[in-house]
Amino acid sequence: MMNIPILSLLICVPTVGALFILFTKSTEKYNSHKYISVFISIINFILSIYLWYKFDNSNSSFQFVENREWIYGFINYKVGVDGISILFVVLTTFITPLCILSVNSTIKNRLKDFLVAILIMESLMIGVFCSLDLVIFYLFFEGGLIPMFLIIGIWGGTRRVYSAFKFFLYTLLGSVLMLVAIIYIYWISGTTDVEKLYEIGIDAKYQKILWLAFFSSFAVKTPMWPVHTWLPDAHVEAPTAGSVLLAAILLKMAGYGFIRFSIGLFPIGSDYFVSFVYVLSLIAIIYTSLVALMQEDMKKLIAYSSVAHMGFVTLGIFTMTQQGLEGSIFQMISHGIISAALFLCVGVIYERMHTREIKRYGGIVEVMPKYSIIFMIFTLGALGLPGTTGFIGEFLILMGAFKDNFLVAVIASLGVILGAAYMLWLYKRVVFGELINEDLKNLVDLNKSEVIILTLLAIPSLYFGFYPEPLINTVEVSVSNLIDNYNANLEIYMANKK
Amino acid sequence: MIIDIYYVIPEIFISLSLMFLLLFGVFKKNSSSTVYSLSILILIISIPLILNVPSTGELLIFNESYKIDYLSNFIKILIVISTLFVLLTSSQYLKSIKIYNVEYPILILSSILGMMVMASSNDLIVFYIGLELQSLALYVLTSFNRDNVLSSESGLKYFVLSALSSGLLLYGCSLVYGFSSSTNFSQISLNYGDSTQGIIFGMVFILVGLAFKISAVPFHMWAPDVYQGSPTSVTLFFAILPKIAALTVFIRFLYTPFINLIDQWQTIIIFLSIASMLFGAVAAIGQKNLKRLIAYSSISHMGYALAGLTTGTNEGIQSSVSYISIYLVMNLAFFSCIFMLKREDKYHESIDDLSGLSKNHPLLSFSLLIVLFSLAGIPPLAGFFAKFYVFMAVIEQSMFFLAIVGLLATVVAAFYYLRIIKVIYFDNEVEKYDTNHSIGLKLSLIIATVLILTYFIYPNSLIDFVSKIDLV
């Protein structure tokens, strides 16, 4: 069974499906395309679960590796997964079908094109997490801009053009420096193969500048303060499914990039810039939490909370401790599920009321009890209540931070309190209180498909919250291997310096 | 001497058949469509003829004034194939605006004959003959639509400015001859020895003349007006073919007679390259006319092609040649799309005319989308690889400034390509366009788009050819 190129299949299946949809006509005018694409993405999900099942937890090296010559003697098409990337692959294949299922009456025109864009997006995102060659990684990483630009621009809200342009140009600007760095790595190391680069390492004198070039790309994509401003705009204007993809998976590309490339390839550069990242992360946590408190638009509030959560992630990554890194990965997975669900929750009431202004709501618990329960679960998840995945991620990150730097950990802990403040306040203003607005009285509670989608998201969020073992087991060996490598590299460097 | 003729069969074939077509057109009334088809046939026949010329090693014929090597053959094939597609796409357009005349394909043929001579030249005089042959045909082609004021104006503008640049170039040639007492490329570098001052003087004049032909900043002023004024089919020709020929001549000059002066010309080319990339990207932002916009875009693209030449290495030349090859496919696709914006025999060419195109013409819009993202250099489309190869070569020589400026210019350029995509996909629709396009036009659009879209699957397809270029 090992001969099946399962990763290439994972990458190709959605694209092939997209082509199939592109060249078929929807006879029953609406649903056939949607069901085909749901079917395709579920096949992909099953494939990825099979991949996870076959994956060997105790082995830290890359598995399911495929290596084919792509440009002669220069770049190979190389994909493979280790404990870190496999989780993101599964997350992607898990979120995409739900995302497609959630598409309903909101996308009125050009449903077919929308589904094609989402499926191609899925291919590219899986590609990002699997690629073991810097150039291939860059192709997937940048290629994702095209479908996302169209998703925001065509199906977005009123200011969609501005947001789409901002999203595209910000990320492109960040990435071009990474391209220069990738090419330079080829010329100083003779290869862009990540596995080989891990072995031979990169000359210490170049590491700082290369680290900065990669950082410029990942910082924009994460997004870190002060280059986070594209995210609220993009989130607010994107259609619900677009926001979900953006929050759940696209932001994780950068976090993954930090772990795989910044730390893996440039330990000396990473070590040098640790305090820099700490400061930016802390500002992101505190500042964007405060900004989130003041938001009047629900989507914008959640978007700012994403920036704060990603601040925790970058903080955890650069503690370089087992707990911090595991916590960051856990936090990314948890944020992927919870923020996706929160955006869907906002989408649900937006569809009914056509407004996202918090002021217009209040007391909807009386008319939408089911909704209120589910929304409660995810609100608590987002603020990190024990028993949800959010808690475990934040807890591990803070543990790692305490190990490394007491002050940083204390300030970051303040962010947890602020997180609770804005999430609970949002929940209070929307769900509790008196039902004043007359329009709200006609609200209909969740329909079947909405309940199914949101429950499917709630299950892993609670399950892994109570029993994080499977996720932790998967990443453990890879993370400890990464840290060992990192410390070994640093020691050699320090010894040479003396 | 007689045996040398064997190596120039393609050139001889094209010149003989073009004279035949001229006579045929004069003596037979209403023969324009026959001449048009015949010239397409001539181009098809000349492909195997060029392939038949040996391309291994370096062959100097006619008293070493003519060079046959892999580069010249590759460029000739490129020229012939792209001309073939230019003719295929533009027949319907020419008919609609009533300039479907006998002279049109004949002028095109004589122009590419000049380009083929340029690509093979190894002597200042041969080079100049080729250059003037292509330019003279181009002057006429620019003003081919005589009843149109803009067309006549652009023809005159191009003629005056181009004649001026030819004058500069000729002056440079005479200086080089004066200081090296030879017109032969290979001899020049041997003759001037240590006294390089006069040669440098001449070289600068020659580079200025060539920069004009390739429309590199600061010698680009003619390009936007000429692109906008000439008939669209001629604009397409302008956007592709003279650039290929001029770039080849750049390679010939820089790497044969002036190879020892690399320190001097490297600065000049770097300046031309950076100025073109930046200026082309910034100036295109305010444009409303698609042809004018593509003029600025081509200025910017020439900056990237020149960036490859600055390195002084084989990789650099190869990257420039692959850049121009991919560039020509993208331009072909872009212009095919413009040719399709036709409503009741009137062609539309402003950006606003594309408004909401995606609702009525999904496939055309999709092709435009692919082409524009590719022109912007977004992976995984072909345009990205073109830039990637160039920057590979540039960074190998540690020229980071050039690489970073170039890549930042792509971000600026991305903005105006995105603006067109925005108009196509996000705005409200205008009326429908005609859909009865000629098969040639549809075929070239499909071929070009598929090439751009699927290039990443097998990038070796181009590298295989280009990597055989070996000059340094």
Side-chain angles (χ1 to χ4, degrees):
Chain A
M1 283 306 272
M2 287 304 279
N3 293 329
I4 301 172
I6 187 161
L7 288 175
S8 294
L9 263 182
L10 271 171
I11 296 172
C12 290
V13 164
T15 304
V16 172
L19 286 177
F20 179 71
I21 291 175
L22 201 63
F23 291 111
T24 49
K25 285 212 167 87
S26 59
T27 42
E28 300 139 61
K29 82 179 177 188
Y30 183 69
N31 278 333
S32 63
H33 282 150
K34 190 174 156 183
Y35 290 131
I36 295 171
S37 48
V38 170
F39 177 68
I40 292 162
S41 51
I42 287 178
I43 289 183
N44 229 24
F45 177 60
I46 295 169
L47 265 178
S48 69
I49 291 293
Y50 173 76
L51 182 77
W52 197 11
Y53 170 72
K54 280 277 179 186
F55 182 79
D56 178 9
N57 279 342
S58 56
N59 190 343
S60 70
S61 62
F62 291 99
Q63 300 174 31
F64 305 101
V65 175
E66 292 164 40
N67 199 349
R68 286 197 197 89
E69 198 161 53
W70 186 54
I71 300 180
Y72 295 144
F74 168 34
I75 298 164
N76 283 5
Y77 167 80
K78 188 170 181 189
V79 289
V81 284
D82 68 350
I84 299 168
S85 46
I86 192 165
L87 288 182
F88 292 101
V89 173
V90 175
L91 177 72
T92 312
T93 54
F94 172 64
I95 295 289
T96 315
L98 296 178
C99 211
I100 296 170
L101 271 176
S102 78
V103 172
N104 44 30
S105 52
T106 40
I107 308 288
K108 283 187 199 78
N109 48 10
R110 295 195 258 182
L111 179 78
K112 176 169 143 182
D113 303 357
F114 187 77
L115 296 172
V116 169
I118 288 202
L119 285 176
I120 289 183
M121 198 70 213
E122 186 184 7
S123 278
L124 293 169
M125 289 182 301
I126 296 173
V128 166
F129 296 126
C130 295
S131 43
L132 287 184
D133 186 287
L134 289 170
V135 178
I136 307 280
F137 170 78
Y138 186 82
L139 284 187
F140 285 121
F141 192 75
E142 284 292 282
L145 287 180
I146 300 175
M148 206 58 211
F149 174 77
L150 296 174
I151 289 175
I152 299 174
I154 300 179
W155 296 280
T158 39
R159 285 175 73 233
R160 54 183 193 205
V161 175
Y162 170 78
S163 310
F165 271 65
K166 199 169 175 182
F167 162 76
F168 194 97
L169 294 176
Y170 256 69
T171 18
L172 185 64
L173 186 61
S175 302
V176 289
L177 291 177
M178 182 163 81
L179 181 62
V180 175
I182 289 174
I183 297 174
Y184 196 51
I185 288 175
Y186 178 78
W187 288 121
I188 53 181
S189 305
T191 178
T192 50
D193 183 328
V194 175
E195 230 177 338
K196 275 187 204 154
L197 283 171
Y198 276 175
E199 270 169 38
I200 55 178
I202 288 170
D203 198 339
K205 64 184 171 195
Y206 303 117
Q207 283 205 12
K208 285 172 198 164
I209 189 87
L210 290 174
W211 186 91
L212 275 178
F214 273 72
F215 177 78
S216 75
S217 172
F218 295 146
V220 173
K221 203 101 179 184
T222 312
M224 294 181 84
W225 184 86
V227 282
H228 65 283
T229 56
W230 64 269
L231 183 76
D233 283 309
H235 267 321
V236 171
E237 299 307 328
T240 307
S243 300
V244 171
L245 273 190
L246 201 57
I249 307 161
L250 243 75
L251 303 189
K252 311 300 175 289
M253 289 182 183
Y256 171 76
F258 274 129
I259 299 175
R260 171 76 72 234
F261 303 114
S262 295
I263 292 187
L265 294 180
F266 320 119
I268 294 149
S270 302
D271 186 63
Y272 185 79
F273 286 107
V274 161
S275 38
F276 173 62
V277 178
Y278 275 175
V279 171
L280 290 186
S281 307
L282 289 178
I283 294 177
I285 294 170
I286 303 294
Y287 169 77
T288 49
S289 297
L290 290 172
V291 175
L293 266 177
M294 297 314 296
Q295 292 307 312
E296 289 172 351
D297 183 308
M298 293 158 78
K299 253 189 170 178
K300 231 176 185 161
L301 192 150
I302 299 171
Y304 276 108
S305 83
S306 289
V307 181
H309 279 127
M310 291 312 283
F312 273 107
V313 170
T314 44
L315 181 73
I317 291 172
F318 282 88
T319 57
M320 321 290 182
T321 53
Q322 181 86 21
Q323 290 85 353
L325 269 165
E326 278 174 13
S328 291
I329 295 163
F330 207 92
Q331 172 82 340
M332 280 196 267
I333 302 293
S334 136
H335 178 256
I337 297 167
I338 290 171
S339 69
L342 284 173
F343 277 114
L344 286 171
C345 283
V346 174
V348 165
I349 49 174
Y350 177 73
E351 259 166 54
R352 290 164 169 73
M353 291 290 293
H354 297 287
T355 176
R356 287 184 300 259
E357 226 180 304
I358 301 175
K359 262 190 249 162
R360 299 278 308 278
Y361 294 94
I364 60 171
V365 65
E366 290 175 30
V367 282
M368 299 178 80
K370 279 190 241 165
Y371 175 79
S372 305
I373 293 175
I374 288 184
F375 194 20
M376 184 54 144
I377 295 174
F378 292 117
T379 308
L380 295 177
L383 62 85
L385 187 84
T388 61
T389 45
F391 169 73
I392 295 174
E394 275 175 10
F395 179 73
L396 284 173
I397 290 170
L398 289 176
M399 240 169 88
F402 268 113
K403 239 184 182 176
D404 194 53
N405 189 325
F406 183 74
L407 186 66
V408 168
V410 170
I411 300 175
S413 312
L414 284 178
V416 180
I417 301 171
L418 285 171
Y422 62 73
M423 282 317 296
L424 286 177
W425 197 31
L426 168 76
Y427 189 77
K428 187 223 135 201
R429 282 182 292 173
V430 173
V431 176
F432 295 144
E434 257 179 83
L435 194 66
I436 302 165
N437 195 335
E438 283 299 314
D439 304 342
L440 291 173
K441 289 192 175 142
N442 303 326
L443 273 180
V444 191
D445 208 349
L446 298 178
N447 60 28
K448 242 184 212 159
S449 72
E450 285 163 347
V451 171
I452 292 173
I453 296 169
L454 289 171
T455 321
L456 281 177
L457 283 165
I459 290 171
S461 159
L462 293 174
Y463 176 75
F464 293 122
F466 281 104
Y467 185 64
E469 217 41 35
L471 295 186
I472 300 286
N473 274 345
T474 310
V475 297
E476 198 169 12
V477 181
S478 298
V479 167
S480 65
N481 182 46
L482 186 73
I483 292 174
D484 290 347
N485 238 335
Y486 174 84
N487 287 332
N489 264 311
L490 264 188
E491 266 167 36
I492 295 169
Y493 175 66
M494 288 301 168
N496 284 345
K497 220 176 170 186
K498 276 168 196 167
Chain B
M1 196 67 183
I2 292 296
I3 201 102
D4 288 353
I5 288 175
Y6 170 72
Y7 298 108
V8 288
I9 287 176
E11 282 90 336
I12 291 175
F13 170 70
I14 288 185
S15 45
L16 285 180
S17 44
L18 115 86
M19 284 169 204
F20 163 75
L21 284 183
L22 202 56
L23 286 175
F24 182 75
V26 169
F27 288 112
K28 193 159 183 309
K29 290 273 176 285
N30 299 325
S31 56
S32 47
S33 106
T34 324
V35 171
Y36 204 89
S37 320
L38 277 177
S39 40
I40 290 178
L41 188 69
I42 289 164
L43 289 171
I44 294 174
I45 295 173
S46 52
I47 295 173
L49 291 181
I50 299 172
L51 288 176
N52 190 33
V53 175
S55 62
T56 45
E58 191 180 287
L59 206 67
L60 294 171
I61 49 176
F62 298 122
N63 283 331
E64 301 196 345
S65 67
Y66 208 75
K67 190 190 234 172
I68 304 286
D69 61 357
Y70 188 81
L71 178 67
S72 71
N73 281 341
F74 182 78
I75 293 291
K76 281 174 197 168
I77 291 275
L78 220 53
I79 288 173
V80 169
I81 291 179
S82 38
T83 315
L84 189 66
F85 278 101
V86 169
L87 287 181
L88 278 178
T89 48
S90 49
S91 66
Q92 201 182 13
Y93 173 83
L94 294 170
K95 278 177 205 157
S96 318
I97 64 162
K98 302 195 173 58
I99 51 169
Y100 193 60
N101 298 342
V102 183
E103 296 89 346
Y104 186 85
I106 295 174
L107 283 169
I108 294 245
L109 283 182
S110 57
S111 177
I112 67 161
L113 179 64
M115 290 169 195
M116 287 164 81
V117 173
M118 277 164 83
S120 270
S121 57
N122 196 38
D123 188 284
L124 289 173
I125 294 170
V126 175
F127 151 70
Y128 193 74
I129 290 170
L131 182 77
E132 281 307 284
L133 184 56
Q134 69 118 18
S135 300
L136 279 172
L138 283 175
Y139 301 146
V140 187
L141 280 172
T142 322
S143 51
F144 206 75
N145 192 1
R146 280 176 307 183
D147 304 332
N148 186 319
V149 182
L150 276 179
S151 176
S152 315
E153 184 197 319
S154 67
L156 188 65
K157 234 176 217 167
Y158 183 58
F159 173 67
V160 172
L161 288 171
S162 187
L164 183 70
S165 86
S166 294
L168 286 176
L169 205 144
L170 208 51
Y171 182 54
C173 292
S174 67
L175 277 174
V176 168
Y177 172 65
F179 282 94
S180 67
S181 65
S182 172
T183 57
N184 188 292
F185 284 0
S186 335
Q187 279 298 314
I188 290 171
S189 57
L190 300 176
N191 284 5
Y192 57 68
D194 289 336
S195 56
T196 54
Q197 240 122 19
I199 293 282
I200 291 171
F201 217 72
M203 178 186 78
V204 171
F205 277 106
I206 292 176
L207 290 185
V208 166
L210 288 177
F212 177 90
K213 303 287 175 202
I214 209 170
S215 75
V217 177
F219 310 102
H220 63 282
M221 293 81 82
W222 59 276
D225 289 339
V226 172
Y227 274 55
Q228 190 184 5
S230 2
T232 313
S233 54
V234 179
T235 314
L236 168 59
F237 191 75
F238 250 109
I240 300 176
L241 286 140
K243 314 247 165 176
I244 304 177
L247 192 82
T248 321
V249 175
F250 255 112
I251 296 172
R252 290 269 184 245
F253 265 105
L254 298 180
Y255 289 88
T256 321
F258 302 139
I259 183 69
N260 299 329
L261 300 174
I262 183 162
D263 293 337
Q264 272 77 23
W265 60 252
Q266 199 171 30
T267 335
I268 300 176
I269 305 289
I270 288 178
F271 170 76
L272 288 177
S273 164
I274 288 183
S276 307
M277 291 189 287
L278 284 180
F279 180 84
V282 174
I285 291 175
Q287 301 306 322
K288 293 195 174 66
N289 184 295
L290 283 171
K291 277 154 79 178
R292 234 184 143 72
L293 184 129
I294 209 72
Y296 285 108
S297 136
S298 76
I299 291 173
S300 162
H301 282 291
M302 283 311 113
Y304 293 99
L306 285 178
L309 294 189
T310 57
T311 56
T313 57
N314 255 333
E315 285 78 23
I317 300 172
Q318 289 165 6
S319 73
S320 274
V321 173
S322 42
Y323 195 95
I324 201 112
S325 319
I326 293 172
Y327 163 85
L328 82 88
V329 179
M330 296 192 289
N331 258 326
L332 194 67
F334 184 80
F335 276 90
S336 306
C337 292
I338 295 187
F339 282 131
M340 289 190 173
L341 301 179
K342 183 182 78 153
R343 200 185 290 131
E344 287 151 10
D345 271 359
K346 197 175 173 307
Y347 283 85
H348 295 262
E349 52 192 48
S350 95
I351 294 183
D352 293 334
D353 292 324
L354 289 170
S355 183
L357 191 72
S358 64
K359 298 208 176 91
N360 291 328
H361 305 276
L363 280 178
L364 174 59
S365 319
F366 181 71
S367 314
L368 259 176
L369 177 86
I370 298 295
V371 176
L372 289 167
F373 272 124
S374 175
L375 282 166
I378 307 295
L381 304 169
F384 166 74
F385 289 92
K387 293 203 166 78
F388 182 69
Y389 298 144
V390 167
F391 289 117
M392 281 297 290
V394 168
I395 293 174
E396 188 193 10
Q397 300 300 310
S398 299
M399 296 197 270
F400 294 109
F401 182 68
L402 182 59
I404 290 173
V405 169
L407 283 165
L408 291 181
T410 62
V411 180
V412 181
F415 175 74
Y416 62 80
Y417 294 121
L418 286 185
R419 201 166 58 105
I420 309 179
I421 295 168
K422 174 221 143 202
V423 172
I424 299 172
Y425 273 90
F426 308 169
D427 285 1
N428 293 323
E429 67 229 73
V430 291
E431 280 174 72
K432 270 193 169 189
Y433 290 98
D434 294 351
T435 46
N436 55 335
H437 308 296
S438 67
I439 295 172
L441 180 56
K442 281 182 191 162
L443 195 71
S444 9
L445 179 58
I446 292 169
I447 291 178
T449 313
V450 168
L451 277 180
I452 294 170
L453 192 58
T454 56
Y455 178 74
F456 75 93
I457 295 174
Y458 191 66
N460 293 331
S461 49
L462 180 62
I463 295 175
D464 277 347
F465 293 114
V466 173
S467 59
K468 284 185 200 148
I469 296 172
D470 184 18
L471 292 181
V472 183

